[in-house]
Amino acid sequence: MKIINEDEKEGIVKVVPETLDDLWHLSHIIEVGDNASSKTTRRIQDTSGDKIRNDRGVKKTFYLGLDIENISFHLFTGKLRLTGVITRGPDDLIPLGSHHTLEVKLNTPLTIIKSRWPKWAINRLNQAIDASKKLSAIIVVLEDDTATLGLMRQFGIEYYGPIKGHVSGKRIVDKNRQKNIIQFYEKVIESITKFDSIQNIVIAGPGFVKNDFYDYLKDKHPDLAKMSIIESTGSGGRNGISEILKKGTVEKLTSENRVALEMGAINNLLTQISKNSSKVAYGIRETKNAINLGAVDKLLILDTKVAGEDMGSDMDMVENMKGEVMVISSEHEGGKQLESLGGMAAILRYEIG
């Protein structure tokens, strides 16, 4: 993410999203009631009276501004859409006051106007900018002739695969078995190297395939082997990836990785709850009460609750009192666990009775 213009007095920030993570961050920074503007393409119908039957109109690109009424981020398509009332655009093409959906595009400037930029939103924006300079980690879970990849994104895990090989069992006599193993390994390696900026690779799985694969990397792809470690799991596939996340392996490798940090924070919260700690609050009412009492040392809030519960002023209050605010993604297991607790929780400085 890049900021190309910032006018705090007018509440204007102009950004350029560069990654899927940036779109995810923006989906939580932008709120209902904000104004957003960017280039958009719309099909314009001919209203001259000479319209030909079945004429679908002409696509035109222009600058459009909206007062936002709805924000939607679709993880699997990677699309961020803003819907609202048109406040700015070419009068001859679109009627002001009508509704339109603006799709936020990668590498296309977006201007966001807020009546007031709260501290948490500025922090989130800076976090996205810092994260764009950092490298990701990838988890490779191998089982027999199947590999599943988990790419560490800030919004959660992006799964890739399964990648299938054609390797016969050890007990089956097959003169091409070793050749097929190499082909499978190279297929996995090709999938790994499709992704940019991978700093750490966790090679995992329940059997010995992970060890053989690592040995192959050391022999044939030493550059990848240098950034790899081996971990054992009880399961393959996505369950194996979840095991790695729970172990905190990635957190040890890249302590600033957002998902690992969030999972670690949630696991710490659950540990405190299991111990019946009196320095924990969870649920909307209890957590807001702790915030109002100034007792919150660390606030954990689900991303979907930020706008839904109008938490901006509460988040500012925590930070103004030197507390920490962590927005937890609803796209990973830790987020789902927080959701089951009401969507927000807090680690307290002191007991509040």
Side-chain angles (χ1 to χ4, degrees):
M1 183 106 71
K2 291 178 185 173
I3 293 181
I4 53 178
N5 184 39
E6 189 173 1
D7 187 334
E8 190 175 333
K9 187 177 178 182
E10 297 295 326
I12 299 171
V13 174
K14 191 173 186 179
V15 300
V16 179
E18 299 172 299
T19 67
L20 188 61
D21 281 344
D22 291 343
L23 295 182
W24 177 73
H25 276 293
L26 286 173
S27 73
H28 299 300
I29 291 169
I30 298 169
E31 300 172 279
V32 171
D34 292 349
N35 185 275
S37 52
S38 184
K39 282 184 180 179
T40 188
T41 300
R42 199 173 193 184
R43 195 176 292 279
I44 305 299
Q45 297 291 342
D46 180 8
T47 57
S48 65
D50 300 323
K51 183 178 173 182
I52 301 171
R53 189 186 297 270
N54 297 328
D55 178 16
R56 298 181 61 235
V58 179
K59 276 189 174 182
K60 293 196 175 182
T61 300
F62 47 85
Y63 211 72
L64 190 73
L66 300 175
D67 278 342
I68 298 167
E69 296 179 345
N70 185 61
I71 303 123
S72 64
F73 175 68
H74 299 278
L75 174 61
F76 295 107
T77 60
K79 293 184 184 298
L80 172 59
R81 292 189 173 99
L82 311 174
T83 302
V85 178
I86 297 172
T87 59
R88 178 185 175 188
D91 295 336
D92 59 326
L93 297 179
I94 52 166
L96 298 183
S98 61
H99 280 76
H100 183 71
T101 296
L102 183 68
E103 185 178 322
V104 181
K105 301 279 191 182
L106 293 180
N107 303 310
T108 300
L110 174 73
T111 300
I112 306 163
I113 303 175
K114 291 179 178 283
S115 57
R116 183 184 74 88
W117 276 83
K119 188 181 288 186
W120 67 263
I122 293 292
N123 289 345
R124 189 72 178 261
L125 198 58
N126 290 329
Q127 189 180 69
I129 293 164
D130 290 342
S132 66
K133 302 170 187 173
K134 295 180 173 65
L135 303 176
S136 301
I138 195 165
I139 301 169
V140 183
V141 175
L142 294 139
E143 188 176 27
D144 298 327
D145 62 349
T146 302
T148 304
L149 275 53
L151 191 67
M152 298 293 288
R153 298 288 193 188
Q154 288 174 284
F155 57 77
I157 293 291
E158 183 178 344
Y159 294 101
Y160 184 92
I163 302 160
K164 293 281 190 178
H166 301 284
V167 182
S168 58
K170 287 184 178 179
R171 296 180 183 180
I172 298 173
V173 178
D174 182 357
K175 63 180 180 181
N176 293 319
R177 188 174 189 278
Q178 191 57 35
K179 179 183 175 183
N180 291 338
I181 289 173
I182 292 171
Q183 287 178 344
F184 170 53
Y185 287 171
E186 286 296 336
K187 196 175 177 181
V188 175
I189 290 163
E190 183 184 351
S191 298
I192 292 171
T193 53
K194 280 181 183 177
F195 301 106
D196 295 327
S197 304
I198 301 298
Q199 187 180 40
N200 297 293
I201 302 171
V202 180
I203 301 169
F208 294 102
V209 179
K210 62 181 181 296
N211 305 80
D212 294 338
F213 178 70
Y214 179 64
D215 289 341
Y216 181 79
L217 284 185
K218 285 196 293 186
D219 186 35
K220 301 295 183 182
H221 301 272
D223 52 331
L224 293 179
K226 285 177 184 176
M227 62 177 77
S228 301
I229 66 161
I230 298 176
E231 280 282 2
S232 292
T233 61
S235 307
R238 295 190 179 192
N239 290 335
I241 292 172
S242 293
E243 285 184 51
I244 294 298
L245 289 175
K246 286 179 181 177
K247 281 184 177 183
T249 303
V250 179
E251 187 174 15
K252 293 170 190 171
L253 293 174
T254 60
S255 61
E256 292 180 4
N257 183 282
R258 183 172 183 83
V259 179
L261 285 176
E262 290 179 11
M263 292 287 287
I266 295 297
N267 286 336
N268 178 53
L269 172 72
L270 295 174
T271 298
Q272 296 299 317
I273 291 173
S274 70
K275 292 178 179 178
N276 293 317
S277 171
S278 53
K279 289 188 178 181
V280 175
Y282 55 90
I284 295 171
R285 190 180 68 178
E286 291 81 359
T287 305
K288 284 192 172 186
N289 179 52
I291 292 170
N292 291 329
L293 291 172
V296 174
D297 184 51
K298 186 169 188 173
L299 174 65
L300 306 178
I301 179 167
L302 200 65
D303 52 18
T304 55
K305 294 288 183 185
V306 173
E309 295 294 331
D310 193 23
M311 287 293 295
S313 58
D314 294 293
M315 294 161 74
D316 276 354
M317 189 184 300
V318 171
E319 292 187 325
N320 288 336
M321 297 188 75
K322 307 301 181 185
E324 179 186 352
V325 174
M326 179 178 281
V327 179
I328 304 292
S329 170
S330 54
E331 299 294 343
H332 58 65
E333 186 180 347
K336 291 174 175 56
Q337 289 171 318
L338 182 59
E339 187 173 22
S340 70
L341 295 172
M344 62 182 76
I347 304 296
L348 308 180
R349 294 189 177 96
Y350 51 82
E351 298 177 18
I352 58 176

